[in-house]
Amino acid sequence: MIAVRALFAEAVHPSESRRDNPVVLDLDAGRVKIAQFFIGTATVVIGLIGLLSAPSEEYDGIGVVIVVLVSLTTFPVSLRWFIGGWPTPKALVAYVVYADVSIGACLLLKQDLLTAIGGTVLFAVVTMFAVIAVRPLVYWMHMAATVLVLAIVCVRAALNDAASVWVVAAHSLTMLLMFAAPMILVIYVSELRSRAQESLVDPLTGLRNRRGLFAAVEAIFLSSQKDRAAEMSVVVLDVDGMKHVNDTFGHHTGDAVLVDLAQHLRAVTANEWVVARLGGDEFACVSVAEPGTMEPRIEALMAALSGRRVISGLTVSVGSASTETQIGGSEQAVLHLLQTADAEMYRAKSARRQTDYRGTAPG
């Protein structure tokens, strides 16, 4: 399940994941599917526009063939949007490039240059998509490409006397305004995304919070192939004697203990686990992998944590739970595993306390 591992690595680090693949973590599963439906529909419509235009007087010769072939590619692309999961960051960039090249090529092949100027309004659809789905650098590269196509068409229209220079200029400015209008949303979307990111991160440790944990796991499922079996595991841990530290040395010392443990968790989980602080001194690690490959990963993490001593010589108690699930699992599966692992952790903590008590009791 190489794809799942790659997608999992993208979900581990909240800031990087949100920057590269924001929609997955900004929306829930239902809204993501609605977004995919509209993107797929828009892709089909653009293809139909090309097919309807190809046999008209707007194209001739080899231009007709090229436009038909380019338009036909929109159908498999749209099918991917309808039936697949949310694409990876690289696939999203590829889609923007594909849309820009396809639309640009069809417009540059038009014989009716005034119509070609009007056709640049199709870039507005791609611009809207780019604002919400890809990194700002990709968005600005898209804008540069669309301006270049518009400039070429306008210069050709002026040189070929398609209309007076004033008409060409007016049409060009109108289209530029149309497909650049979504730029207004950039600042607004950026602010909303920043606030959403903050709501997923624990401010003390920089790890995900409970909501961020669920969002990251959901992102893995949304971006993966449906109906594929996977194994999901949860490891929970808390700091032994944390209350004594807070009561004796103050909460600032307790905070230092939590930060130290968070740093250790980042080091030992690498890109195999989504790590979160659930609250207080309790942390959770969640991993998704191909069935049958999870046990060594759990054993390695448990070993790294069981002998761990944080600041002040404190130890941690650890519990784990696993289950097989289908890609596309729900928050309820994670909650069930958290509860099971939590119960195991407290059983282990209680057993150790009893062992310590018997070891120190008089003979």
Side-chain angles (χ1 to χ4, degrees):
M1 192 175 287
I2 297 175
V4 172
R5 292 193 185 100
L7 292 165
F8 189 88
E10 292 164 7
V12 170
H13 303 290
S15 60
E16 295 177 5
S17 179
R18 181 165 295 279
R19 182 180 68 246
D20 292 344
N21 205 348
V23 173
V24 168
L25 294 182
D26 287 344
L27 302 177
D28 59 29
R31 290 184 175 89
V32 167
K33 296 307 294 183
I34 293 173
Q36 288 185 229
F37 173 79
F38 280 111
I39 295 168
T41 301
T43 304
V44 169
V45 171
I46 290 175
L48 290 175
I49 291 173
L51 290 175
L52 292 172
S53 302
S56 70
E57 65 278 4
E58 295 181 9
Y59 297 99
D60 62 8
I62 190 65
V64 176
V65 177
I66 293 175
V67 171
V68 169
L69 293 176
V70 170
S71 299
L72 289 175
T73 65
T74 62
F75 294 100
V77 172
S78 62
L79 186 63
R80 168 61 181 81
W81 281 107
F82 289 135
I83 67 175
W86 186 260
T88 64
K90 290 182 179 179
L92 293 172
V93 174
Y95 177 75
V96 173
V97 173
Y98 159 78
D100 284 348
V101 171
S102 300
I103 294 173
C106 292
L107 293 178
L108 292 175
L109 289 169
K110 278 181 178 286
Q111 300 301 306
D112 187 335
L113 296 176
L114 278 183
T115 304
I117 294 175
T120 58
V121 73
L122 294 176
F123 283 125
V125 179
V126 186
T127 302
M128 185 68 72
F129 171 83
V131 167
I132 66 171
V134 297
R135 301 188 304 274
L137 175 61
V138 179
Y139 166 76
W140 289 113
M141 291 177 64
H142 154 75
M143 289 301 300
T146 57
V147 170
L148 177 62
V149 171
L150 178 62
I152 293 173
V153 173
C154 292
V155 170
R156 288 180 59 202
L159 294 177
N160 287 275
D161 296 323
S164 70
V165 174
W166 305 111
V167 171
V168 171
H171 280 231
S172 302
L173 289 175
T174 301
M175 292 303 104
L176 181 63
L177 181 62
M178 287 291 293
F179 68 71
M183 292 174 60
I184 301 172
L185 296 176
V186 172
I187 297 176
Y188 181 68
V189 171
S190 176
E191 177 64 19
L192 290 180
R193 189 161 288 150
S194 176
R195 294 183 183 183
Q197 179 178 349
E198 291 174 1
S199 72
L200 300 177
V201 176
D202 172 53
L204 176 63
T205 63
L207 299 176
R208 295 182 180 277
N209 55 23
R210 182 180 291 269
R211 181 183 175 195
L213 175 67
F214 293 140
V217 175
E218 184 73 6
I220 298 169
F221 289 149
L222 284 173
S223 300
S224 302
Q225 182 177 334
K226 301 297 184 291
D227 301 324
R228 175 180 289 181
E231 185 174 2
M232 181 163 57
S233 295
V234 170
V235 172
V236 297
L237 60 143
D238 71 3
V239 182
D240 300 323
M242 191 67 186
K243 184 177 185 304
H244 175 73
V245 171
N246 286 329
D247 293 343
T248 305
F249 302 103
H251 285 276
H252 63 283
T253 302
D255 289 347
V257 171
L258 298 177
V259 171
D260 177 66
L261 178 56
Q263 292 174 345
H264 180 67
L265 286 172
R266 288 192 185 93
V268 300
T269 55
N271 289 330
E272 295 183 337
W273 297 85
V274 175
V275 186
R277 179 190 176 200
L278 300 181
D281 63 334
E282 187 169 2
F283 295 78
C285 307
V286 179
S287 186
V288 180
E290 187 176 358
T293 64
M294 186 65 75
E295 187 172 349
R297 186 179 298 187
I298 297 174
E299 291 177 351
L301 180 58
M302 296 283 281
L305 295 174
S306 296
R308 171 65 176 168
R309 289 186 176 272
V310 294
I311 294 175
S312 303
L314 300 175
T315 59
V316 296
S317 294
V318 186
S320 67
S322 300
T323 187
E324 285 200 15
T325 184
Q326 295 291 321
I327 293 299
S330 66
E331 182 178 310
Q332 292 302 315
V334 182
L335 284 172
H336 175 70
L337 288 179
L338 284 172
Q339 293 169 357
T340 305
D342 198 54
E344 180 183 323
M345 179 190 69
Y346 279 105
R347 281 196 298 270
K349 185 190 291 283
S350 177
R352 188 170 65 252
R353 285 173 178 169
Q354 292 177 11
T355 301
D356 293 342
Y357 175 76
R358 287 195 298 267
T360 58

